[in-house]
């Protein structure tokens, strides 16, 4: 239950005076529906005013407050000429100008002969001081009503800054003083004030420095959010680890046999990852480990070795891929290795039906099948394992945390929980990985197997498309295969498809009978068929609209052509390029672009030409786009932060991680006073669902 102290913050913004349905909708758009969303909608700018007794050229273009004697109105009958009101400030004249000014209104605001306080931006026009559309016109005793510093909020059409300022004055009155959840020593070291004080400060900047992500108030608010993120992940992690795991201790016999059968030596990076995995498997707690490695870094063989140890210990293993075709590819890669040492594999996907499926289920239940490979069909209710000990999930970003948890429930009662290894080819910057996978231990394969030749990457103007297409003939003669990726236009799948079909027709005329097409509107099995024809070499050029299945391995593919490369994100470009040059042949990646390019687009294409290092590319991506958009964050299940900016607050993130670990170690049930405050924090950032993972008793 949400603590009562937070109730005022979770009221609808419509409970504020002056906020009706229209404003509510606009606020919903920029911030959210609740007071707390408004409270977390921090100013992006600031207007600072200076009080002037005398006008002066040095104050030009600044926001000023002056006391002015109103001298004379000059109304205008012409729309293009402004209404002018001449005033006197000290010895100087100041002209106030109003476009489309209404005379009756202005005469009431600015009676001739009266003294008025005026604020606005001081400018000069034909040698005269001037303020156009003053933002405040008040009587001299109302000076307090003109704020010297005024926050400027991010807005949307129809929403005024004034409305948000008014709202913030109102709700600030009801913002509660919350119990302190930050470690007192840290609070002192950073010299942070209370949450409430920091929130107030963040909304009342008095200089540019206060707007910086590194301003103390903003740092504290960011830290609070990062701490809540890390606490939630740590709670999940602890709950997973707490469930009795089992020690999958092998004798090394299968592992050694498989390693001997490999045509290559494992790389150092693979060996390091393996020793971490072996240690986890052997330990009596549950493994929850992320194996990160760029495309082609050799994760599959690591997975197979992990599986071997689980089987040596008498358990079964399952490997789940996000799509049918990827599952089949794993099946094709793993089965020979498994069979060579006497292990039996089976494929279980949604397409397996009837008697065949029954047979597989029966053999899984009897333990005859050692390794099940498939899609989420592996974990349907009626699938019963004889003794599942290890679950491996490939391509994490397509699955959510919940699937990850559901999975681990397939173990045999009494034998303890299933060990989980998640593999991802998406390079994620360290900071982001911590916020998304803080609940997992991480192994990284940063080194690629030897002998990989670099992919020759070029950016080419789309005007040269005919040359590019014409040059493919030689490659085809040599038996090489080519991907041709067509622009991805999110708003219109229809024109997307049209473009791909056009390109397909064009290439088919050049290279009759050798071109295939795969697009997002195809049914899954049509897609698979098109992919398979390309894999088998029946077609040699594959035109694709959607991103080609991550992870599909076609060793003969050497050329990746990406049309309108400027429209793709870096992570996507990198994933696509990773499809080629895998078979020891020289790969080429041609980035066809339509100019003129914006700065970011140019930077992206340059980075692609400079490096093939997935982690460096991910860091650059984060820099160019910000974490919010990285990898299509929302779909990927990566967290979105309101207060924290991962680029600015990386230091705070690691403090939060350590603090979350140490704190929960000492207060497992959130029972101490600080534990109670931490609960409030989790509710404040709506990460309270993690509370159900609390250790009971
Ligand atoms: P990933 O799944 O990480 O994208 P794979 O496991 O598919 O990569 O490996 C890519 C290719 O590299 C495969 O053909 C695999 O046989 C090969 N490979 C893996 N490890 C090594 C190694 N240590 N030395 C040489 N080749 C390797
Ligand atoms: Mg793979």
């Amino acid at each position: 239950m949400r603590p009562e102290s937070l109730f005022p913050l979770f009221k609808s913004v419509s409970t504020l005076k002056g906020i009706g349905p229209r404003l509510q909708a606009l606020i919903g758009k920029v911030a959210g529906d609740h007071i707390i969303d408004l409270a977390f909608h921090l100013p992006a700018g600031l207007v600072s005013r200076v009080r002037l007794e005398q006008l002066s050229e040095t104050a030009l273009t600044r926001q000023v407050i002056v006391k002015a004697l109103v001298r004379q109105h000059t109304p205008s009958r012409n729309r293009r000429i402004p209404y002018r009101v001449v005033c006197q400030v000290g010895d100087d004249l100041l002209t106030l100008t109003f476009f489309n000014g209404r005379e009756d209104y202005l005469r009431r605001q600015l009676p001739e002969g009266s003294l008025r306080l005026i604020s606005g931006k001081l400018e000069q026009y034909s040698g005269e001081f001037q303020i156009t559309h003053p933002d405040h016109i008040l009587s001299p005793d109302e000076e307090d009503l003109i704020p010297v510093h005024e926050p400027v909020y991010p807005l949307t059409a129809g929403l005024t800054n004034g409305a948000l300022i008014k709202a913030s004055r109102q709700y600030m009155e009801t913002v509660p003083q919350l119990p302190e959840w930050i470690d007192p020593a840290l609070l002192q070291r950073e010299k942070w004030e209370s949450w409430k004080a920091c929130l107030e400060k963040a909304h009342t900047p008095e200089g540019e420095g206060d707007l910086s992500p590194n301003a103390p108030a903003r740092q504290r608010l960011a830290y609070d959010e990062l701490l809540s993120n890390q606490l939630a992940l740590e709670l999940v992690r602890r709950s997973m680890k707490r469930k009795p795991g089992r020690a999958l201790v092998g004798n090394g016999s299968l592992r050694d046999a498989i390693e001997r059968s490999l045509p290559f030596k494992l790389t150092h990076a693979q060996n390091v990852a393996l020793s971490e995995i072996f240690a986890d498997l052997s330990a009596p707690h549950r493994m929850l480990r992320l194996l990160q490695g760029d495309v082609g870094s050799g994760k599959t063989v690591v997975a197979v070795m992990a599986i071997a140890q689980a089987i040596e210990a008498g358990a079964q293993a399952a490997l789940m891929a996000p799509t049918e075709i990827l599952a089949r590819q794993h099946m094709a890669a793993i089965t020979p290795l498994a069979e060579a040492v006497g292990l039996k594999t089976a494929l279980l996907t949604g397409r397996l039906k009837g008697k065949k499926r029954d047979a597989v289920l029966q053999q899984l239940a009897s333990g005859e099948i050692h390794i099940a490979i498939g899609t989420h069909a592996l974990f349907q209710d009626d699938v019963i394992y004889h003794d599942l000990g290890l679950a491996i999930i490939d391509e994490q970003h397509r699955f959510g945390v919940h699937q990850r948890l559901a999975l681990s429930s397939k173990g045999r009662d009494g034998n303890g929980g299933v060990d989980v290894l998640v593999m991802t080819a998406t390079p994620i910057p360290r900071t982001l990985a911590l916020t998304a996978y803080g609940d997992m231990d991480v192994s990284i394969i940063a080194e690629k197997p030897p002998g990989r030749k670099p992919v020759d990457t070029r950016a080419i103007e789309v005007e040269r498309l005919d040359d590019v297409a014409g040059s493919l003939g030689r490659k085809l003669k040599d038996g090489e295969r080519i991907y041709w990726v067509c622009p991805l236009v999110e708003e219109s799948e229809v024109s997307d498809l049209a473009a791909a079909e056009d390109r397909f027709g064009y290439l088919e005329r050049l290279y009759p009978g050798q071109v295939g097409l795969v697009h997002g509107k195809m049914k899954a099995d049509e897609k698979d068929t098109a992919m398979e024809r390309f894999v088998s070499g029946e077609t040699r050029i594959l035109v694709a609209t959607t991103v080609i299945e991550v992870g599909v391995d076609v060793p003969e593919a050497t050329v990746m052509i990406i049309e309108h490369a400027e429209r793709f994100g870096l992570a996507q470009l990198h994933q696509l390029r990773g499809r080629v040059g895998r078979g020891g042949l020289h790969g080429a990646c041609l980035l066809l672009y339509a100019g003129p390019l914006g700065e970011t687009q140019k930077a992206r294409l340059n980075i692609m030409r400079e490096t093939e290092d997935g982690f460096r590319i991910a860091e650059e991506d984060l820099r160019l786009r910000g974490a919010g958009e990285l990898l299509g964050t929302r779909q990927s299940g990566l967290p979105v932060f309101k207060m924290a900016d991962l680029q600015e607050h990386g230091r705070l993130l690691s403090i939060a991680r350590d603090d979350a670990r140490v704190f929960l170690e000492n207060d497992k049930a959130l029972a101490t006073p600080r534990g109670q405050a931490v609960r409030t924090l989790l509710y404040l950032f709506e990460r309270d669902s993690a509370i159900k993972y609390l250790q009971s008793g």
Side-chain angles (χ1 to χ4, degrees), residues 264-267 270 294-300 449 452 582:
F264 48 74
K265 271 182 57 191
L266 294 175
T267 63
Q270 282 170 320
D294 216 345
V295 278
S297 59
K299 293 183 292 298
T300 310
R452 261 330 124 70
R582 311 188 81 188

Side-chain angles (χ1 to χ4, degrees), residues 262-268 270 293-302 330 333 394-395 423-425 445 448-452 551 553 555 578-579 582-583:
L262 294 174
F264 48 74
K265 271 182 57 191
L266 294 175
T267 63
H268 175 67
Q270 282 170 320
D294 216 345
V295 278
S297 59
K299 293 183 292 298
T300 310
V301 65
V302 170
H330 278 304
D394 192 15
E395 310 299 359
M423 304 197 291
T424 175
I445 308 184
K448 289 208 182 160
R452 261 330 124 70
D553 209 352
R579 306 285 102 232
R582 311 188 81 188

Side-chain angles (χ1 to χ4, degrees), residues 297-486:
S297 59
K299 293 183 292 298
T300 310
V301 65
V302 170
V304 170
M305 300 286 280
I307 288 171
Q309 172 157 332
I311 297 172
E312 281 170 23
Q316 290 168 297
L319 191 156
M320 174 164 79
T323 66
E324 170 97 23
I325 186 151
L326 279 170
R328 286 212 231 161
Q329 221 162 54
H330 278 304
M331 182 73 186
I334 291 171
T335 302
L337 291 173
E339 282 178 349
V341 296
L343 299 179
K344 184 161 174 162
T345 58
L347 184 68
L348 181 54
T349 70
R351 247 195 268 164
L352 190 69
K353 300 231 159 71
K355 287 217 178 75
K356 285 189 184 154
R357 180 166 189 271
D358 293 344
V360 168
L361 292 198
Q362 192 269 318
Q363 293 179 352
L364 278 175
S366 73
E368 207 173 319
I369 293 171
H370 301 99
I371 309 169
I373 297 170
T375 55
H376 51 269
L378 286 170
F379 298 98
Q380 269 152 17
D381 283 343
D382 63 337
V383 181
I384 294 161
Y385 293 82
H386 173 65
D387 183 11
L388 185 66
L390 169 64
I392 299 184
I393 313 174
D394 192 15
E395 310 299 359
Q396 158 70 20
H397 62 283
R398 303 218 186 167
F399 301 107
V401 178
H402 296 290
Q403 277 150 306
R404 216 150 79 200
L405 291 172
L407 233 181
S408 51
S409 66
K410 281 281 178 185
R412 195 161 76 173
D413 280 338
N415 262 351
V418 175
D419 280 333
V420 178
L421 178 68
V422 174
M423 304 197 291
T424 175
T426 312
I428 300 168
R430 245 188 62 76
T431 42
L432 200 53
L434 201 53
T435 64
Y437 304 108
D439 56 336
M440 306 185 90
D441 300 305
V442 181
S443 296
I444 297 177
I445 308 184
E447 156 199 14
K448 289 208 182 160
R452 261 330 124 70
K453 305 213 173 61
V455 175
D456 179 18
T457 302
R458 294 176 193 202
I460 298 174
E461 275 181 303
V462 73
E463 280 75 21
R464 290 179 48 206
L465 188 136
D466 287 333
D467 298 343
V468 169
S471 71
L472 300 179
R474 198 166 34 82
K475 299 267 178 201
L476 292 176
K477 270 206 201 82
D478 292 341
E480 298 178 29
R481 266 169 249 166
I482 295 146
Y483 290 105
W484 191 299
V485 177
C486 280

